[in-house]
Amino acid sequence: MLRSRVGLLVAALGLALVVPGTSATAGPEPGAPLAVNATPGQTATIPDWRLQSSAKATQAGDAISSPSYGDTGWLPVPARSTVLAGLIANGKYPDVNYSTNLKAVNAADFKVPWWYRKVFTADPQAGVNTFLKLNGGVISRGEVWLNGTKVAGSDQVVGAYPNYDFDVTSLLRKGDNALAIKAFPSDPANDLAIHFIDWSQLPPDRNQGLFRDVQLAQSGPVSLRTPRVTTDLPLPSLATADITVKAEARNNTGSAVTTEVSGAIGSVTFKQTVTLAAKETRTVSFTPSNTPALKFSQPQVWWPFQMGGQPLYTATLSAKVGGVESDATRTTFGVREVTSRINQGGRTFEVNGKPFLVRGGGWASDLFLRTDVKRIDDQLALVKNMGMNTIRLEGKPENDELYDTADRLGIMVLAGWECCSKWENYGSFDAEDNRVAGQSAESEAKRIRNHPSMIGFMIGSDNAPPAAVEKIYLDALARAEWNLPVISSAAAHSSPQLGDPGMKMDGPYWWVPPNYWYDKRLGGASGFASEVGPGATIPELDELKKFLSQSEITSLLDYNAAQFHLAPSGNFSKLSFWGTALDNRYGKPSGVEDFVRKAQLANYEVNRAQLEAFGRNWSDASKPSTGVIYWMLNNAWPTVYWHLYDYYLATGGSYFGAKTAMRPLHVQYSYDDKSLAVVNTGLQDVSGLNVQVTVFNADGTQKADEARPVTAKGNASVRVGALPQPSGLSTTYFTRLLLKDGSGKVVDRNVYWLSTKADTLDYDASTWYHTPQTGYADLKGLGSLKQGKVSVTASTAAAGDNRTTSVTVTNTATDKAVAFFLRASVRKGTGGAEVLPARWTDNYVTLWPGESTTLKAEYRASDLGGATPSVEVSGNNVPKAVVSAPVR
């Protein structure tokens, strides 16, 4: 979010295949050029590095950081690159995503430090100061050298997150300069670093190295640092907003300096004259008290996407000394206010005075901490398309691009520290750990505090910190002027100052049936469940083939077999009782294709139920639901569990079950009491609606059809009676819910496959990760449906590089046969690979004879690879149809 005038040069890297030896005599190898010119206010980002193991580059830092040092044979790696990420980029290993190839990486290679090196040119001038900025630490710790001189040792540069700002003015030379950083081995059990816990197989280097930008910033006698903007709304009114702009002005000289600090937000300008003592740093503040124009009238207010728009403002600041610019910076912000309180034990957030039901997902960074901005944008676009309003970051705070995108899209972000590593081994903290913990909290808070998408920070995950550590964090957040909710833990653990977090972490993390979510015990829909989900999420077969061998795909049918692409922990290394439930509810799969097809059904129905239950209970008078984080949103590395879309950004039954549940104006069924409800996530009431509920036997016979009027209350749920219970229902039957407006237009559609036999659970035998199932719904009738018949037409519209393919599907059966669970996909030509990512309006739809629906997919033309789009449509009882979808 913080922006100086940044010059970022992107390297076109020629990648080697192996890590060769090092010559100390040959000259340095060129990378992307980097010139540091004497221009105050300019920041240059290191565009790339050369990388080598200290087992091969055995010289000391003074030699390696000499401009004349020979780095021939070192590996070129990107600006943000852990050691393993750099080796992968250089082709040292076969595809580490595929099969068990990750096992081929020798972890012993990362038991020694690795060197990062960059040669750049500089033209230092008198009166211009240069600062070396590490925008995040070195994993696990670093040694920093410039031109043969140690800038900082490994006792100073420690941990993944602290920021550093070193004055290197005296070390710069005219001409060639060399910067070298030595990254030490990482052990998440002993270092305040990054750990992927049981989210996937672990990176063998434990993320050793650099994962954030390193920069050289220049300024004159006065530098500006950490600009921030706070906004205060006189809630419930949004008619005005008090804007406060601050920054630190730092005197870089040994004498007193008078500086004029000025700024602007659009047409509103402000300035102050400040005299700084030698080496003094002082906060410069602009408030409505000293700048009346900072009381905005009729401000453009920023909202989560469900509630309104996402207007953004930019504040610019500059410092002049003697009329000459000394430094400049800027930051983007939104006018919004977040508050939080405990409501009957559950934490409730409010945005701009309006209660905000959190329905979010747990974010997983790339396993090797690589930054792919397009991939981040694509993922958050899928999140918004799904209707999910929040992302939770458990540790692994992302780089700025994620927050920037969340700001633009209106997706809230709940950040905090991780569990199950040094971060929560509080009893082992020594003086260094205390220092690094505080530096980490302060650095991260300063980095993310301006983002309107931020909703809070958790200083603990599975455990709350004890008094001493809590004080370290709270003092650090106070220094950073953090003004959002601070929460002691993601579990129900209080801390001395913060008290009750209003969170629960009672599981499940593995299979439970749909009706589990409606019960208010354990992880069911009451209070705020900070991480819960039904475990295994099997992608479609095309996706499985991208990362599993055929034998590994076949082995998924053995539920007691350990799977490398499940978790490394014993509890989640096998499909186990997830598969048992699949067999008992849907019937034992006849083969791989049948297994994948039934998995999509199970994923769809249970994910829909989880998120619908929290939506329904939002308005309950007793023990309402206040928030839920689906565990997890995405994958760090390809797996067959814990995701709503898969590693390759494909959207299966898991995604569309969730998307159905989170439609902005939505009609739904309740698995506990068979009631119907309408959930409205907008702020305004919607009147004149009708719910049409129709019940069908599996053979297509209509058993009941009723219509009920309803007004959908804004930001609330309302009940609309119960599901009809006609006699003569087949064991497996269907319910179709249609929500219609006053004109009869369908504004929401929801189809359930249900059973006259209930799923049952043994709550008394619950563990931290599941509640055993003792009886199973009988949905086996889905396997003997009459074959359905559909017609399909498709076309594609173009707008620049954007493509929208429209697919109209009609059930043309002349009997009563339903066309069940129809999936459409866009292909790169007939028989080609699926176009990914694609944002669909809906998918996995069910139609009765005479019904028709149009599905739309948005994607990039460049992802077609030059082919004409083709569409495939198939269903559980409908053979595949293929049609061309040419651009028109």
Side-chain angles (χ1 to χ4, degrees), residues 238-266:
L238 305 178
T240 63
D242 287 354
I243 312 297
T244 298
V245 183
K246 295 183 180 181
E248 270 62 65
R250 183 180 66 203
N251 182 357
N252 301 316
T253 76
S255 304
V257 170
T258 297
T259 179
E260 181 185 84
V261 180
S262 62
I265 302 173

Side-chain angles (χ1 to χ4, degrees), residues 210-291:
L210 302 175
F211 74 110
R212 287 193 177 153
D213 287 336
V214 176
Q215 297 175 318
L216 290 161
Q218 296 189 305
S219 59
V222 173
S223 296
L224 293 176
R225 291 290 185 267
T226 61
R228 66 264 195 201
V229 180
T230 59
T231 63
D232 185 18
L233 293 163
L235 300 173
S237 173
L238 305 178
T240 63
D242 287 354
I243 312 297
T244 298
V245 183
K246 295 183 180 181
E248 270 62 65
R250 183 180 66 203
N251 182 357
N252 301 316
T253 76
S255 304
V257 170
T258 297
T259 179
E260 181 185 84
V261 180
S262 62
I265 302 173
S267 61
V268 176
T269 60
F270 37 88
K271 64 182 177 180
Q272 284 185 38
T273 299
V274 180
T275 298
L276 301 170
K279 298 297 182 181
E280 180 187 3
T281 298
R282 188 189 308 174
T283 301
V284 179
S285 300
F286 300 93
T287 69
S289 297
N290 60 31
T291 309

Side-chain angles (χ1 to χ4, degrees), residues 107-254:
D109 292 342
F110 314 109
K111 300 302 182 184
V112 299
W114 284 70
W115 281 102
Y116 291 76
R117 186 173 188 274
K118 179 63 182 179
V119 174
F120 62 93
T121 61
D123 184 18
Q125 300 291 326
V128 178
N129 302 279
T130 301
F131 299 89
L132 177 64
K133 297 176 66 177
L134 275 62
N135 296 301
V138 178
I139 300 176
S140 64
R141 59 182 67 226
E143 198 174 89
V144 182
W145 294 77
L146 181 62
N147 293 335
T149 298
K150 184 189 286 187
V151 176
S154 59
D155 60 339
Q156 183 177 358
V157 178
V158 186
Y161 304 117
N163 292 345
Y164 300 95
D165 195 348
F166 302 115
D167 188 345
V168 295
T169 305
S170 64
L171 301 180
L172 280 187
R173 304 174 181 176
K174 185 176 180 62
D176 285 345
N177 294 257
L179 172 64
I181 298 178
K182 188 179 188 179
F184 286 76
S186 176
D187 177 4
N190 295 302
D191 301 312
L192 291 173
I194 287 175
H195 188 30
F196 279 88
I197 317 166
D198 52 5
W199 299 7
S200 72
Q201 298 297 328
L202 302 180
D205 70 339
R206 300 303 190 263
N207 300 124
Q208 177 184 6
L210 302 175
F211 74 110
R212 287 193 177 153
D213 287 336
V214 176
Q215 297 175 318
L216 290 161
Q218 296 189 305
S219 59
V222 173
S223 296
L224 293 176
R225 291 290 185 267
T226 61
R228 66 264 195 201
V229 180
T230 59
T231 63
D232 185 18
L233 293 163
L235 300 173
S237 173
L238 305 178
T240 63
D242 287 354
I243 312 297
T244 298
V245 183
K246 295 183 180 181
E248 270 62 65
R250 183 180 66 203
N251 182 357
N252 301 316
T253 76

Side-chain angles (χ1 to χ4, degrees), residues 613-690:
F614 278 84
R616 186 198 74 175
N617 290 359
W618 170 233
S619 295
D620 283 4
S622 175
K623 298 177 65 177
S625 55
T626 60
V628 60
I629 300 296
Y630 183 94
W631 207 247
M632 297 178 68
L633 170 65
N634 61 334
N635 285 153
W637 178 79
T639 76
V640 291
Y641 72 121
W642 288 359
H643 64 252
L644 288 167
Y645 52 85
D646 75 8
Y647 180 81
Y648 300 97
L649 309 189
T651 50
S654 178
Y655 180 92
F656 285 100
K659 177 178 170 66
T660 295
M662 294 184 289
R663 289 177 186 144
L665 190 58
H666 180 55
V667 60
Q668 59 188 56
Y669 165 76
S670 304
Y671 280 87
D672 58 342
D673 60 7
K674 303 184 188 301
S675 66
L676 308 182
V678 172
V679 179
N680 178 7
T681 59
L683 296 180
Q684 305 301 318
D685 291 356
V686 181
S687 61
L689 300 173
N690 275 279

